[in-house]
Structures are given as C-alpha cells and as structure tokens.
Amino acid sequence: MNPLQSLPGTATTATLERTIEWVDTDAAGHQHNSAVLRFVEACEAKLFRDLDLPEYFPLAPRVRHELNYRAKLYFGQQVTTTVVVEKIGRTSMTFSFEVWGEEFRGEPRALAAHGSFVTAHVAQGATAASPWPAELTAKVTARGVSGRD
C-alpha cells in the first residue's frame, strides 16, 4: 500500500481507533516504538474476528515485518490504524498497514507510521509452513483479495 494513496475500498481490511495512553509513551514524551506494533496487531485481530476466523492466530506467526515511522503520537491523541490484506498465497499472507495520528493540539491529521508484514500458516505441532485451510482462504478472498503464489 502506498501510504500517500487512499486504501482500496474492496480490499479485505479493518480499521481500529484508539487513544494514546500513558503506557504507550516513552521518556521522550511520544509513543514508544512498540505501541505502533500493538495497534497494528489489535487491528489485525479485529480483522480476523470480523471474518469469524479466531483460529488464525495460533497458526499464523510473523515471518517478516517492516515499519516506517513518519510522525510522533502523543498522550491523549486519537489514533486510527488500518490493516489491509494485500495478498494471500498458498502458505503466506501479506498485509500492509497505516497508523494515523488524528488532529491534536492544533496540528493536522498526519501519517505516523506505515509498513507491511507477512504471516505464514504453520499447523499445530508443525515446524514448517503448509497451505492455508480452504475455509480461511475463502473467507479472506471473499472480501476482495487476490493474487496467489
């Protein structure tokens, strides 16, 4: 996802709004770098709850993560996180995300972070990736995702 373009309207996506809490900040007075990751994971969890796929999480470890910070987030500021399934392959799924700091103390809404991550399907007890279950693939792709590898 290009962070400067609008998100695709037909993609499999979720959006989550949060407030930066004191625990989300560090000694410098803005968000701790781990806060963005937690917001992205919470949004990912919402996506799979919305798809009625709670079984996704114990089977989908991250195998790649890229995060680009663009602006600071401050205690009390509203944050909007969006996660998009960009591609689902035979054994992996690629996501993009954006984290926006909403207008705060006279400053306009700004892109705070963007990036991507990849998960792989690893069945219980397995040590290597295997194909995604058909039900999961069907539910994810029913909302507009394409592109198999």
Side-chain angles (χ1 to χ4, degrees):
M1 167 174 58
N2 181 335
L4 302 178
Q5 294 179 351
S6 299
L7 296 171
T10 60
T12 302
T13 184
T15 299
L16 185 65
E17 295 178 358
R18 293 280 170 96
T19 302
I20 297 292
E21 300 295 345
W22 188 249
V23 70
D24 299 323
T25 63
D26 64 14
H30 57 79
Q31 90 278 1
H32 187 274
N33 61 5
S34 65
V36 168
L37 295 174
R38 286 187 286 112
F39 297 154
V40 170
E41 286 183 351
C43 192
E44 177 190 9
K46 180 182 185 308
L47 172 66
F48 284 94
R49 280 193 305 272
D50 290 351
L51 291 171
D52 193 28
L53 290 168
E55 65 276 11
Y56 164 81
F57 277 97
L59 307 174
R62 275 155 182 62
V63 296
R64 183 176 183 279
H65 205 139
E66 182 178 322
L67 175 56
N68 305 288
Y69 296 97
R70 303 270 305 257
K72 296 176 182 177
L73 301 168
Y74 296 95
F75 174 68
Q77 186 174 14
Q78 296 296 307
V79 176
T80 302
T81 302
T82 302
V83 169
V84 177
V85 179
E86 294 287 347
K87 181 179 177 183
I88 184 166
R90 191 176 67 80
T91 64
S92 67
M93 201 173 321
T94 302
F95 300 80
S96 62
F97 62 87
E98 293 181 346
V99 178
W100 288 81
E102 299 302 332
E103 182 181 350
F104 189 69
R105 296 183 183 157
E107 294 296 320
R109 181 178 200 252
L111 180 64
H114 64 93
S116 62
F117 62 96
V118 177
T119 61
H121 176 258
V122 179
Q124 288 285 23
T127 58
S130 59
W132 291 106
E135 177 188 8
L136 184 141
T137 300
K139 286 184 177 182
V140 171
T141 59
R143 288 178 59 184
V145 175
S146 63
R148 302 207 175 262
D149 59 348

